Amino acid sequence: MRVHKLTIAALAVAAGLSLTACQGDSDNADGQSTGSSNSSSSSNDGKDTAGKETDGKSAGGENTAVGGGGSDGASDGGSGSGKDSGKDSETAKCLTDHLEITAADGTVGGDQEETVVVGFKNAGAKDCLLTGYAGVDLKTNYGRVSAERTGQEADPVVLKSGEDVFFGVTYPKNDTGGSGVRVEGLVVTPPNETKSVTLDWPGKASLPVTEDGSGTPVRVGPIGSAGQGG
């Protein structure tokens, strides 16, 4: 089954979204802690079933997943910088099953946009190669929002066993005064992989919507574009 991916602009006309706060919705609607903690965690249940995502299960206060089910769409990683060394060409790509994937709120006070930092840790015994961009989708109460690539240069990264690398996901602040679109999960697919993992969303609870679909999109940076925690 192919996943129908929506943009924020498309969400603007979905189901007659209310742009007012009359329902008293806050960034933590229904009392749930979607954005109440700086980080959250999930872990694989040990199943590797093609065509299904791994649901995040809260554990230990950090958003972590090792491995994952099959994604409905592959991440092609995008083009690299052309700086691959001979060692890079001999290193196998990083597989979802061998990566510990984390997500945490990385927003810094004064930023115009909110940020979530996603981390890949090589949980395998051998070095592996990450090139380009990961696939990132936000699960919302009105469908999926796919992150756009920033277009930054994407250098290949050889990830040694036990090492981490991070990248950022930016999204607009919901300062419209309305309830917006509620974010319910983060789907991450490593570069050039077909398996994804679903993590708890560690950011703010909602995205803004406008009647004309204008506004700032959700964006993802290349591998290595963020430091630990932002």
Side-chain angles (χ1 to χ4, degrees):
M1 180 183 70
R2 300 292 298 181
V3 173
H4 180 60
K5 298 183 178 178
L6 304 176
T7 64
I8 296 177
L11 290 172
V13 297
L17 282 175
S18 172
L19 299 180
T20 69
C22 62
Q23 295 180 343
D25 288 342
S26 67
D27 281 349
N28 290 308
D30 303 325
Q32 297 179 354
S33 58
T34 310
S36 62
S37 62
N38 290 333
S39 59
S40 52
S41 69
S42 65
S43 59
N44 191 7
D45 60 7
K47 297 180 180 179
D48 183 13
T49 306
K52 296 182 180 179
E53 296 166 356
T54 299
D55 290 329
K57 298 179 181 178
S58 180
E62 188 179 51
N63 205 7
T64 306
V66 179
S71 168
D72 289 310
S75 170
D76 61 13
S79 59
S81 66
K83 298 179 181 179
D84 298 54
S85 66
K87 181 178 179 181
D88 291 346
S89 63
E90 297 171 1
T91 304
K93 72 175 183 180
C94 294
L95 301 177
T96 306
D97 290 339
H98 297 161
L99 291 173
E100 182 179 299
I101 303 175
T102 62
D105 185 9
T107 303
V108 177
D111 286 353
Q112 294 184 344
E113 295 178 322
E114 306 284 352
T115 302
V116 164
V117 175
V118 179
F120 289 153
K121 181 176 182 178
N122 184 358
K126 297 181 179 181
D127 298 353
C128 64
L129 181 66
L130 291 167
T131 304
Y133 289 74
V136 171
D137 295 310
L138 274 58
K139 283 187 171 182
T140 79
N141 56 325
Y142 281 98
R144 287 197 181 187
V145 175
S146 296
E148 299 179 4
R149 295 175 180 177
T150 61
Q152 293 173 263
E153 186 177 32
D155 292 335
V157 175
V158 175
L159 196 60
K160 296 183 180 298
S161 178
E163 287 189 348
D164 303 271
V165 68
F166 301 88
F167 62 92
V169 178
T170 58
Y171 60 100
K173 295 181 179 181
N174 183 15
D175 53 8
T176 63
S179 58
V181 174
R182 188 170 66 252
V183 184
E184 300 175 337
L186 176 66
V187 183
V188 180
T189 310
N192 304 304
E193 258 286 40
T194 57
K195 291 182 180 179
S196 64
V197 295
T198 301
L199 306 173
D200 294 334
W201 174 246
K204 296 296 178 64
S206 64
L207 300 173
V209 291
T210 56
E211 291 182 351
D212 60 2
S214 63
T216 304
V218 179
R219 293 190 177 99
V220 56
I223 301 299
S225 61
Q228 186 173 6

